[in-house]
């Protein structure tokens, strides 16, 4: 509505046009309706139009209609469950199984190897225990040093190859003193396989994988999942 004011009445300024403000309710309603619609820029509209297989109906949807459609589509999808993360979320079960297997393998080989080594050097050990120099430990150590390392002594055994003499001295000395035996002995352990680090690691990793697979199987059976 336009209103003309009389300048003689000293109202506002001469012959200026005044307009009533647009009612706030209508402005709010218009803004609300605008925000409720999904609006794309011209570039976005063009990109949407060119997108292959895209249903253009969603462009004119309200926000609520669009969200309803998204929820419906997601509900129809079967989300794949990460079963490994379900049964072992922090990886502790896998790690524990891995190290348990690794240690178990190492312990089993050590026990077997030590038994074989002690049997292999049993005669040399008994000879050192009953040596002619004395029954105390220093005398026993002096005797094996004289027999296996000192070529100028009367006890030196020149009939043994140098490598075998050294290994005999090392292992018998460990048996006398109660220290650790060498588990890479090429003479005492020549008839058994000495596992490598790579072989032990592979077996441990497989054991850990099998443990998780077993837990996944149990979880699937319990939940009816696939």
């Amino acid at each position: 509505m336009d209103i003309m004011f009389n300048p003689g009445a000293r109202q506002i300024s001469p012959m200026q046009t005044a307009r009533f403000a647009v009612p706030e309710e209508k402005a709010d309603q218009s803004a609300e309706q605008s925000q409720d619609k999904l609006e794309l820029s011209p570039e976005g509209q063009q990109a949407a139009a060119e997108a292959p297989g895209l249903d253009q109906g969603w462009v004119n949807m309200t926000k609520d209609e669009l969200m309803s459609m998204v929820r419906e589509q997601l509900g129809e999808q079967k989300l794949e469950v990460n079963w490994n993360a379900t049964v072992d979320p922090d990886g502790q079960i896998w790690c524990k199984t891995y190290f348990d297997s690794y240690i178990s393998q190492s312990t089993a080989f050590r026990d077997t190897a030590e038994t074989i080594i002690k049997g292999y050097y049993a005669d040399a050990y008994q000879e050192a225990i009953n040596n002619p120099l004395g029954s105390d430990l220093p005398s026993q150590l002096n005797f094996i040093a004289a027999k296996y390392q000192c070529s100028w002594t009367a006890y030196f055994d020149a009939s043994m190859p140098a490598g075998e003499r050294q290994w005999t001295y090392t292992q018998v000395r460990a048996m006398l003193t109660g220290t650790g035996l060498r588990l890479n002995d090429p003479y005492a352990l020549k008839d058994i396989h000495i596992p490598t680090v790579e072989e032990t690691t592979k077996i441990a990793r497989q054991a850990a994988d099998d443990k998780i697979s077993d837990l996944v199987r149990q979880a699937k059976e319990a939940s009816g999942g696939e």
Side-chain angles (χ1 to χ4, degrees):
M1 177 183 296
D2 294 341
I3 299 176
M4 307 300 291
F5 288 90
N6 184 355
R10 304 179 69 179
Q11 296 172 331
I12 314 180
S13 59
M15 301 302 293
Q16 290 191 5
T17 301
R19 297 179 183 275
F20 287 105
V22 178
E24 293 184 0
E25 182 179 355
K26 292 185 178 180
D28 293 343
Q29 182 178 1
S30 176
E32 182 179 353
Q33 291 175 350
S34 177
Q35 292 175 2
D36 195 45
K37 290 289 185 179
L38 181 64
E39 297 181 357
L40 296 179
S41 66
E43 294 81 1
Q45 293 177 6
Q46 181 179 357
E50 295 175 354
L54 183 62
D55 182 6
Q56 300 301 313
W58 66 271
V59 175
N60 296 318
M61 287 183 179
T62 64
K63 178 177 62 178
D64 291 340
E65 290 171 340
L66 179 61
M67 293 304 297
S68 177
M69 183 190 72
V70 170
R71 283 193 294 267
E72 181 180 353
Q73 290 182 354
L74 289 177
E76 294 175 353
Q77 295 178 1
K78 185 176 182 180
L79 300 179
E80 182 178 354
V81 178
N82 186 340
W83 288 103
N84 284 12
T86 300
V87 301
D88 189 21
D90 54 6
Q92 289 190 13
I93 296 176
W94 193 96
C95 290
K96 182 179 185 303
T97 306
Y98 174 90
F99 286 111
D100 284 348
S101 174
Y102 198 102
I103 293 172
S104 177
Q105 292 179 73
S106 300
T107 301
F109 172 73
R110 182 198 65 199
D111 293 345
T112 300
E114 287 182 349
T115 299
I116 294 175
I117 290 171
K118 289 177 180 179
Y120 187 84
Y121 295 107
D123 292 342
Y125 174 75
Q126 288 300 322
E127 183 183 29
I129 292 292
N130 303 311
N131 77 87
L133 300 180
S135 59
D136 58 286
L137 181 60
S139 297
Q140 295 167 357
L141 296 178
N142 286 335
F143 173 77
I144 62 174
K147 181 170 184 178
Y148 303 114
Q149 289 192 319
C150 303
S151 60
W152 59 89
T153 67
Y155 302 107
F156 183 71
D157 187 355
S159 65
M160 296 179 67
E164 187 174 358
R165 275 201 310 271
Q166 183 58 46
W167 272 102
T168 302
Y169 171 79
T170 299
Q171 301 290 47
V172 173
R173 191 180 192 284
M175 293 166 67
L176 291 171
T177 58
T179 54
L181 294 168
R182 299 283 296 278
L183 303 183
N184 57 338
D185 190 325
Y187 296 96
L189 303 179
K190 64 180 181 297
D191 294 329
I192 71 170
H193 174 66
I194 301 177
T196 64
V197 173
E198 290 76 13
E199 291 171 336
T200 305
T201 298
K202 181 179 179 180
I203 294 174
R205 184 181 295 111
Q206 186 62 54
D209 290 343
D210 290 345
K211 175 66 176 180
I212 299 302
S213 296
D214 187 54
L215 292 176
V216 168
R217 178 186 57 77
Q218 295 177 27
K220 287 182 177 180
E221 290 177 353
S223 64
E226 298 181 358

